[in-house]
Amino acid sequence: MLSVIRSLGNVHIHAISANNEDVTILPQYEDVTYYPVYNWRVSFLNNIKKIKMQILSRGIEYLFYHIVGHLDHYMISVYEKEIHEKCKEIIRNNHIDAIFTVCLRFYTHRIGMKLTKETGIKWLQFWVDPYSNKMEKTSSWWRKEARLVEKKYFEATDKIYALPEVFKGNLVIDDYRKKLVTFEIPYLDNKSILTTTKDVVFAGGFIKRVREPEPVLNLLLTILGDIDSDVRFLFYVKDKSVYNKYERASNGRICFHDYVNHEELNRVLGGAMMLLNIGNYHSVQMPSKTVEYVSYRKPLLFFFKDKNDASLRYLNDYPDICRICVDDNDEINIKKLTEFFSAKHDPITYDSLMKIREFRESTPEFIRLQMEI
């Protein structure tokens, strides 16, 4: 995301984030001033009333999430007012040329819309997910309401930044194509990949009931004695200490690391022998890392639960992949895995990736062509 903002020119970025991982990453950059939202949250001891409101609001959010779907879940934030006020303070104390909101929750863009109306500063928004396109188990009425919310933001913004897979087929975005900037993904190029280790690497997040690691880790433990003893499985995740028991049980061959910056991760993924991907437990959305994994042209272990996993469709034509359904018989899965590790893996060419439609349509060359059209 920082690379997208930097592409706008020689800029200094004032970044406000409620993501706890950012506290270890963003301060590393000289061109970023970082304001962690969670530091503003008052403690139980000095403001018991606020804590009660937080619990109440989170309970309401949870209720709406399960009853009506994603729309209200992503509209609610206890800390929206505080974030809004902090943004205004930053604008007062600094020369700000543009407001750039990154959405995983609707309220982020709502703050951006308020700020641009109050200050007249240009508003640029990065659209992570068009929720009206991906709201399963919700009524057409709720999807219609979500589209109205999206249209309101698109009308107020100056530019809409999006990944190519996000805006495809989104009728709301199509109405505002003149505002759309589909940025080039730097790793989707014909780069030289040199394997330097016998590591199998996973990078991403584990989410309860969405992407759970235990079935995968238990399978890996069972095959360690049947594959090359130099092979290690490296997981770059949040809260690595939670998985210490797997490190102990594997004698250090299954290792967990904290998140690292993208430059370091690029080095690790580029040098890996194989990459490991875990699908989501639903068919609507695939992990964002899937596109990046494919670009490294490595043999790929893909573990999934949902037989309609979106990643399965994307990876259907990938030339070197082992697909493992975690609900299948363990003996079948162990056989698949050991055979994949003992097989000879030929280099994957960039031309072979370009035969994969979804990959081809995410490359800079394709995007430039589409924007010209």
Side-chain angles (χ1 to χ4, degrees), residues 178-338:
K178 289 183 179 179
K179 292 185 176 184
L180 181 65
V181 179
T182 310
F183 60 84
E184 298 177 5
I185 309 172
Y187 44 76
L188 296 189
D189 59 10
N190 190 1
K191 60 190 171 190
S192 175
I193 304 296
L194 180 64
T195 297
T196 58
T197 71
K198 288 192 175 183
D199 295 336
V200 181
V201 178
F202 170 89
F206 295 145
I207 308 168
K208 193 170 182 60
R209 294 188 297 276
V210 175
R211 194 184 312 131
E212 297 186 349
E214 284 78 8
V216 176
L217 296 171
N218 290 330
L219 263 176
L220 296 181
L221 282 174
T222 63
I223 66 166
L224 290 178
D226 299 319
I227 62 176
D228 187 335
S229 60
D230 290 330
V231 172
R232 297 185 308 161
F233 295 88
L234 309 184
F235 290 80
Y236 287 81
V237 297
K238 176 184 177 183
D239 297 334
K240 66 172 186 174
S241 61
V242 175
Y243 307 101
N244 284 341
K245 65 179 181 179
Y246 290 100
E247 290 203 15
R248 292 193 298 269
S250 66
N251 291 321
R253 291 181 64 189
I254 299 177
C255 306
F256 292 86
H257 301 272
D258 291 323
Y259 287 150
V260 294
N261 62 46
H262 199 274
E263 289 78 8
E264 173 65 11
L265 186 61
N266 183 63
R267 184 191 65 77
V268 172
L269 294 173
M273 177 182 74
M274 289 183 189
L275 300 181
L276 188 153
N277 197 18
I278 302 175
N280 292 334
Y281 285 9
H282 57 72
S283 60
V284 180
Q285 183 185 39
M286 68 181 186
S288 57
K289 272 286 181 289
T290 304
V291 183
E292 186 169 1
Y293 276 5
V294 169
S295 74
Y296 283 97
R297 309 204 303 276
K298 304 280 186 179
L300 183 61
L301 296 176
F302 178 58
F303 295 85
F304 65 95
K305 186 177 180 69
D306 190 323
K307 297 291 178 74
N308 295 312
D309 191 310
S311 296
L312 283 174
R313 299 191 294 273
Y314 186 89
L315 297 168
N316 186 57
D317 296 318
Y318 191 71
D320 196 356
I321 183 171
C322 179
R323 301 172 183 85
I324 300 290
C325 177
V326 295
D327 288 337
D328 282 352
N329 181 280
D330 279 352
E331 289 185 11
I332 294 173
N333 285 337
I334 291 168
K335 185 174 184 291
K336 279 186 182 180
L337 286 166
T338 52

Side-chain angles (χ1 to χ4, degrees), residues 149-181:
V149 172
E150 290 174 355
K151 288 189 74 169
K152 181 169 64 173
Y153 295 150
F154 292 156
E155 286 170 0
T157 193
D158 292 274
K159 290 289 182 183
I160 305 162
Y161 288 79
L163 293 168
E165 64 265 26
V166 168
F167 76 82
K168 282 179 192 172
N170 187 297
L171 300 178
V172 178
I173 294 184
D174 281 345
D175 292 339
Y176 300 93
R177 187 166 288 274
K178 289 183 179 179
K179 292 185 176 184
L180 181 65
V181 179

